[in-house]
Amino acid sequence: MNTLATWKKLSLAALVLLSPLCHAAEFDGVDGPNVRYMRLEDGSRSVFIRSPDNLTLTKKTYSPNGVLTMVTTYKMNANGDPLGCKIRDGQNQEMFKVSYGYHRVTGLLVEELMFDSRVKRINPANDKEMPVQRIIYLYDAEGKRSAPIVINLLPGKTFEQVFGIKSSELKANPFKENAPPARGH
């Protein structure tokens, strides 16, 4: 075997061996102006990366043993609130797309519509794409939100069964000033 072929094999072997370390290093970094790291109670970790214009926020979630399990890319408004997102699994397959609805006066999140990216489902009543899940948020007179109301519109595995969380909602934007630290999301 010639020297070039030997180096190519060694380089490929090094990439295979080091790729888990690259993922591990990604979530053991130091917060910066456009990056936030979060360790969750179950041992999983998340890395938040925002674009310089603050209009895109990417959340990468890793299992406790360092395997990439989910990538959520949020499109944000000027206030830093998500307008929509796309959810991919650890193999970069797009699974869901989500739109967020806000109250016109208060600006509070009132509804989340989740659509299956793999199968477009059309509502026969109005010929529009049909969500597979709706999440409705209610607030009391003081503006405190109750537990979300989750409505699964199709049989099968729920988002929570697949990803271990009820919603793709960004509970706290880690880049907003005075944002409380997100827990368990």
Side-chain angles (χ1 to χ4, degrees):
M1 187 180 318
N2 68 31
T3 307
L4 182 59
T6 303
W7 277 107
K8 283 183 179 177
K9 283 187 178 181
L10 287 173
S11 296
L12 182 59
L15 283 174
V16 170
L17 290 172
L18 291 176
S19 64
L21 297 176
C22 292
H23 286 302
E26 184 173 10
F27 56 69
D28 282 335
V30 177
D31 286 351
N34 292 318
V35 179
R36 296 286 187 271
Y37 298 89
M38 190 176 305
R39 214 176 272 262
L40 304 174
E41 293 173 13
D42 66 356
S44 62
R45 298 171 184 170
S46 293
V47 179
F48 293 87
I49 305 162
R50 73 173 170 183
S51 62
D53 64 4
N54 297 333
L55 296 179
T56 303
L57 178 64
T58 302
K59 176 185 175 188
K60 294 182 179 182
T61 304
Y62 296 88
S63 69
N65 61 352
V67 175
L68 179 66
T69 58
M70 182 171 47
V71 177
T72 307
T73 305
Y74 296 91
K75 297 299 178 192
M76 312 296 276
N77 65 18
N79 294 326
D81 299 317
L83 297 171
C85 74
K86 292 194 176 187
I87 302 167
R88 298 178 183 276
D89 64 13
Q91 288 73 45
N92 202 31
Q93 297 294 317
E94 186 176 317
M95 299 183 66
F96 300 99
K97 54 188 175 182
V98 181
S99 66
Y100 300 94
Y102 297 89
H103 190 276
R104 290 181 192 193
V105 176
T106 65
L108 296 171
L109 178 65
V110 293
E111 188 170 29
E112 179 178 332
L113 298 175
M114 182 175 289
F115 299 88
D116 188 335
S117 294
R118 298 159 296 176
V119 178
K120 189 171 186 175
R121 293 171 172 85
I122 303 299
N123 184 340
N126 60 13
D127 289 330
K128 292 185 178 182
E129 187 173 9
M130 186 172 85
V132 294
Q133 179 173 278
R134 287 180 63 203
I135 301 175
I136 300 167
Y137 300 96
L138 301 175
Y139 299 85
D140 66 15
E142 297 173 358
K144 292 183 181 180
R145 187 166 70 194
S146 67
I149 300 168
V150 179
I151 303 167
N152 290 304
L153 300 169
L154 294 174
K157 283 192 173 184
T158 65
F159 182 77
E160 184 174 16
Q161 289 169 326
V162 174
F163 290 111
I165 54 176
K166 289 185 181 194
S167 138
S168 67
E169 180 213 359
L170 193 58
K171 292 190 188 290
N173 184 337
F175 295 99
K176 279 191 173 182
E177 294 296 321
N178 302 320
R183 296 273 182 233
H185 183 54

